[in-house]
Amino acid sequence: MRLKTPLEEDDVLNLGAGDVVYLSGTVYTARDSAHRKILELAGRGLPLNLEGAVIYHCGPVVRESPSGYEIVSAGPTTSSRMNRHLGGILSLGVRGIIGKGGMNPEPFKGRAVYFAFTGGAGSLAAKSIKRVREVFWLEELGIPEAVWVLEVEDFPLIVAIDAYGESLY
């Protein structure tokens, strides 16, 4: 199935655990520090709109070039350590999380899905990233923890936790 961001409620409700998805559009990277920063600023000046958004648990390898930033590798990081932030992040309208290793399925019910991407395949992920659109908090958080706004095309994913709480894990 092909999906484009921002995701609609029907998009996620029509997915089942095990479905293969090719995602295109905007994806935001976020790890531990970025989750804390997003939740700290929510309701008082968050510089990004997360309604229908997809967050990728990733600390990319980035190279600066004359034309801007280039993603060299973008493998997923372990998602379970972001479980403590999951309810707050999903309450901001996020409808998809990409990562590895799974998360608590309960918060996803009725509103979002968890997409798995294979760990160790960061160069494959980078092939689906067409460009860096923007970066937030680079100076403050550093390259791996900054929020990278990526434009992706046909990013290959598996629905590992669906919006009904079914989990491949």
Side-chain angles (χ1 to χ4, degrees), residues 2-169:
R2 295 190 185 288
L3 288 177
K4 184 160 178 45
T5 65
L7 298 179
E8 300 292 331
E9 183 179 7
D10 284 347
D11 292 332
V12 299
L13 293 177
N14 288 323
L15 294 171
D19 287 350
V20 174
V21 170
Y22 295 92
L23 185 69
S24 296
T26 301
V27 170
Y28 302 90
T29 68
R31 291 176 19 145
D32 309 72
S33 295
H35 279 74
R36 285 190 297 274
K37 185 77 173 174
I38 288 167
L39 292 172
E40 171 190 318
L41 294 177
R44 54 183 189 106
L46 192 60
L48 48 150
N49 179 5
L50 295 178
E51 186 63 41
V54 174
I55 289 182
Y56 185 18
H57 292 159
C58 171
V61 176
V62 181
R63 172 174 45 216
E64 196 166 0
S65 70
S67 61
Y69 293 108
E70 175 187 346
I71 303 298
V72 176
S73 181
T77 194
T78 303
S79 295
S80 61
R81 68 179 196 261
M82 267 66 81
N83 272 328
R84 67 178 175 248
H85 305 298
L86 184 57
I89 290 294
L90 294 180
S91 74
L92 299 175
V94 171
R95 289 205 176 91
I97 302 281
I98 303 169
K100 71 175 182 181
M103 298 187 83
N104 177 3
E106 195 63 32
F108 288 95
K109 287 185 178 177
R111 60 181 176 174
V113 295
Y114 179 82
F115 297 107
F117 186 81
T118 304
S123 60
L124 173 64
K127 288 181 182 182
S128 292
I129 298 169
K130 299 308 170 193
R131 71 183 179 106
V132 174
R133 296 179 66 191
E134 204 167 358
V135 61
F136 294 100
W137 311 307
L138 179 59
E139 295 299 318
E140 180 182 348
L141 302 179
I143 289 173
E145 292 287 342
V147 173
W148 294 88
V149 183
L150 308 175
E151 183 179 313
V152 301
E153 185 177 313
D154 292 333
F155 195 9
L157 303 166
I158 295 172
V159 177
I161 301 171
D162 65 25
Y164 302 96
E166 293 298 319
S167 172
L168 297 182
Y169 299 101

